[in-house]
Amino acid sequence: MTLQTDPQIVGVGETKVGKHPTETPNSLATDVARKALFDAGRDWADIDGLIVMEPIVDKHPRHALAMAETFGISSNLRFAQTVNMGGASPALAVKQAFDAISAKAANNILVIASDTPRTGQDRKESVAYFSNQRHPWWEQPIGMLNVTAYGLLADEYQHRYHLEPESMLSIPVALRAHATKNWNAAYTDPLSYVDARQSRYVSHPLRLVECSPINDGAAALLISAEKNQNSKPGIGIAGSGFGTDYDSYTYRLDRQEAAGARSAKSAIDQSRRSVGGGDLLMVYDSYSIAMALQLESLGVSEPGQAANDFANGRFNVDGDLVVNPHGGLLSHGHCGGAAGMHHITELVKQLRNEADQQVSIENGYAYYQAEGGILSANATICFEYLEK
Amino acid sequence: MQKMEEAWWDQFRDGHIGIQLCEKCAISQFPPGNMCRGCGSQTGLSIHALGNEPVKVSAKTVVARAVTPLAERSVPYILATFCTASGVRITLPTCRVKTVRERNIDGDSTQVRKTMEAMRDAGQTLEVTVCDCERLLVPHVSAMECGVKK
């Protein structure tokens, strides 16, 4: 018997992150979609909505429809969308799926992110893809790369709070320790402070270990308003927010409020609960500085203190508030156009008590904070575990 | 008629760093645009050279590894964000900034970075003028050739 419910995440599917030289974004997408359907006890025939992230490799002009035809569900869809908001895309896609279901535009939506920027093309080309997003008139001509914009933010941040250039190495070191126990993570060799200090500079003060490495991988979620007797407990949304800012670093104004703080405030107000001990926290950690700034936008760390909190073990798996137990983009890996999706699938597995490295989530709540561009598109979602 | 962006790079080629001033609200902005981002005015916008206005260093980074062809040819180089008293921010490669170059004419990137850091720590202001140095970034988009001979 099928029951009609509020929208909730009912299925997840993941691939390992790393090298998939014999796969394409579409073949990985098929794999994770099938896993998400199996996890939820559903069938392809149930799917009437599809939201996909735009990949770097094998991008189609209407990517959602191109993916639908590989699944043979082209004529079944009532809702289809391709999301392209950089790192904020998976969070926005999930929110969009919940909204579409609430508006009765669809009943069962697959949300899929899949990309092969590591082996699907020259890896250097994939890294350049991000730098080619810098402003064509004001940034590319002066040699501003993606990492350079973050390097400038990191330098300004460290100057403001009198921090040493090496102070943020606690972030990649802590996240690597998390990744070593995750089956799907790309980087599982231990990383010590000594190793981190030997890592070369990419854009001073950022070292290579502070920049998320490009990899292949995919993940999918099934979001549905239907439950049956085989369904696992669902994951709902208690509150969410979105905040935008300048798209190019060059347009950034002096000392303006972080858009991530606006997005966090909206999610906190809606859910009527702030992020705190006993919760799980997932943060889109494209760079160490992105992690630090977002933790401070959420009000979790005091200004200038995020890296110090990491160094003190506050965000470790046995800490007060666990952050990115899968290892984050910095060690689990950054899957190009799919980056950030594994944060959400990990969050679902954690709330369901099914994770590789299960942490204790006393309250049944998990926050996800994400950013795309140069902290340009900011999304916050407070997820909640729903009883069966 | 020339695109506004092309005109800006033409001025840069002549040694001027253009900042846009709105006559209506007296706010300066960079990058320039066809409207004032402060008051919305679409008229009375003029470009003036930053030349004599003192600026402070607000951020800097040494680009050591690069993937795009232009940057790959130029590493290591330093980009710095300068801030005027009125709050306008502009980011430039320091090899093109005369004040910085004059103090580190033979300096490597570490020395330049340290000098910049000292200037910022001291809250020191400097004048940002374009220099015609030889070690520079050459825009890889041909329409934006900055024109200074290598």
Side-chain angles (χ1 to χ4, degrees):
Chain A
M1 198 180 91
T2 303
L3 282 175
Q4 227 22 57
T5 63
D6 286 335
Q8 46 194 278
I9 299 173
V10 298
V12 294
E14 286 179 345
T15 64
K16 188 171 165 50
V17 173
K19 291 183 188 171
H20 291 286
T22 60
E23 304 287 343
T24 62
N26 267 4
S27 69
L28 288 181
T30 310
D31 182 37
V32 293
R34 189 185 48 76
K35 285 176 180 163
L37 288 170
F38 180 79
D39 183 46
R42 300 292 172 78
D43 202 85
W44 287 106
D46 296 327
I47 301 306
D48 60 356
L50 184 62
I51 305 181
V52 306
M53 300 334 124
E54 191 172 273
I56 296 172
V57 175
D58 290 358
K59 175 167 69 183
H60 294 265
R62 291 159 296 279
H63 202 75
L65 298 188
M67 212 176 261
E69 68 192 4
T70 68
F71 301 154
I73 58 168
S74 297
S75 52
N76 301 0
L77 300 182
R78 293 195 290 142
F79 187 87
Q81 195 59 260
T82 308
V83 182
N84 184 355
M85 253 327 159
S89 300
L92 293 174
V94 167
K95 179 65 170 72
Q96 199 175 34
F98 273 73
D99 289 348
I101 290 173
S102 296
K104 307 221 179 300
N107 224 18
N108 293 291
I109 300 181
L110 266 174
V111 178
I112 305 175
S114 174
D115 206 352
T116 58
R118 182 162 179 189
T119 64
Q121 64 182 27
D122 183 352
R123 196 184 187 188
K124 210 167 113 184
E125 215 178 297
S126 295
V127 179
Y129 166 86
F130 291 98
S131 290
N132 290 333
Q133 293 178 354
R134 294 298 92 233
H135 200 289
W137 288 100
W138 311 118
E139 297 187 340
Q140 290 186 31
I142 61 165
M144 190 183 295
L145 314 173
N146 207 54
V147 62
T148 311
Y150 280 98
L152 288 163
L153 288 180
D155 177 77
E156 195 174 333
Y157 172 86
Q158 292 179 355
H159 176 73
R160 182 180 304 150
Y161 299 113
H162 311 289
L163 303 171
E164 292 300 318
E166 291 182 348
S167 60
M168 294 198 302
L169 294 179
S170 58
I171 297 172
V173 167
L175 292 176
R176 180 61 61 85
H178 290 182
T180 53
K181 297 194 182 102
N182 193 298
W183 181 250
N184 283 342
Y187 302 89
T188 53
D189 292 339
L191 179 77
S192 68
Y193 276 101
V194 175
D195 300 332
R197 271 186 221 107
Q198 281 168 356
S199 169
R200 61 179 192 247
Y201 284 116
V202 182
S203 203
H204 186 283
L206 295 179
R207 292 176 188 267
L208 192 60
V209 291
E210 295 176 78
C211 310
S212 49
I214 296 286
N215 278 282
D216 306 333
L221 296 163
L222 177 59
I223 299 167
S224 173
E226 292 172 2
K227 300 210 80 171
N228 59 38
Q229 68 271 25
N230 298 325
S231 299
K232 295 178 182 177
I235 307 299
I237 291 182
S240 67
F242 184 54
T244 62
D245 214 329
Y246 59 87
D247 193 50
S248 298
Y249 171 86
T250 314
Y251 281 82
R252 181 169 175 261
L253 302 174
D254 206 23
R255 284 188 294 275
Q256 60 188 12
E257 185 208 16
R262 291 205 306 276
S263 121
K265 185 178 184 306
S266 162
I268 289 166
D269 287 351
Q270 268 184 31
S271 64
R272 296 197 199 89
R273 59 188 318 286
S274 56
V275 196
D279 292 350
L280 171 69
L281 176 57
M282 307 299 286
V283 179
Y284 188 88
D285 52 330
S286 47
Y287 297 90
S288 56
I289 180 66
M291 168 64 91
L293 290 170
Q294 289 178 99
L295 283 173
E296 293 167 24
S297 285
L298 280 161
V300 164
S301 287
E302 292 296 316
Q305 286 300 309
N308 202 24
D309 286 345
F310 266 104
N312 293 334
R314 183 179 166 203
F315 304 132
N316 288 352
V317 286
D318 54 357
D320 156 47
L321 173 62
V322 186
V323 174
N324 291 359
H326 67 321
L329 300 177
L330 287 170
S331 274
H332 193 274
H334 183 302
C335 305
M341 194 64 170
H342 287 90
H343 280 77
I344 307 177
T345 49
E346 170 74 8
L347 178 150
V348 171
K349 292 195 300 181
Q350 289 284 355
L351 283 174
R352 283 175 171 182
N353 218 10
E354 290 177 353
D356 287 0
Q357 182 173 219
Q358 185 61 47
V359 303
S360 152
I361 308 168
E362 292 161 22
N363 305 325
Y365 286 93
Y367 264 87
Y368 179 42
Q369 176 86 20
E371 61 98 6
I374 313 295
L375 295 143
S376 314
N378 300 266
T380 314
I381 301 181
C382 174
F383 289 97
E384 63 181 328
Y385 178 86
L386 306 170
E387 297 302 326
K388 198 165 177 177
Chain B
M1 270 294 275
Q2 213 182 8
K3 285 190 183 80
M4 180 196 61
E5 290 84 354
E6 283 167 352
W8 190 93
W9 280 102
D10 273 354
Q11 285 199 350
F12 189 79
R13 211 172 283 146
D14 294 337
H16 303 299
I17 297 165
I19 298 291
Q20 197 174 35
L21 178 71
C22 171
E23 283 169 17
K24 204 171 161 193
C25 69
I27 282 177
S28 296
Q29 65 182 13
F30 180 83
N34 58 1
M35 65 181 281
C36 170
R37 296 190 285 275
C39 73
S41 173
Q42 292 183 38
T43 57
L45 298 167
S46 58
I47 303 273
H48 65 100
L50 186 61
N52 300 318
E53 202 177 333
V55 299
K56 282 184 180 178
V57 177
S58 72
K60 59 178 169 37
T61 183
V62 185
V63 184
R65 307 279 303 185
V67 285
T68 59
L70 158 75
E72 212 169 16
R73 281 200 304 275
S74 312
V75 286
Y77 56 92
I78 297 183
L79 293 192
T81 304
F82 300 97
C83 190
T84 69
S86 55
V88 176
R89 292 160 62 96
I90 182 162
T91 305
L92 294 168
T94 56
C95 59
R96 300 300 308 271
V97 175
K98 211 169 181 177
T99 323
V100 178
R101 262 190 81 77
E102 276 169 356
R103 294 179 190 208
N104 298 278
I105 204 71
D106 298 315
D108 62 16
S109 58
T110 310
Q111 270 178 286
V112 176
R113 174 171 64 77
K114 286 185 172 160
T115 307
M116 305 279 298
E117 210 154 271
M119 283 176 175
R120 180 169 63 175
D121 284 345
Q124 194 178 346
T125 57
L126 57 154
E127 276 178 29
V128 175
T129 44
V130 188
C131 85
D132 56 355
C133 65
E134 286 169 11
R135 195 176 133 252
L136 70 147
L137 293 170
V138 181
H140 60 296
V141 183
S142 61
M144 289 178 276
E145 280 290 332
C146 72
V148 179
K149 289 179 189 66
K150 194 151 187 170

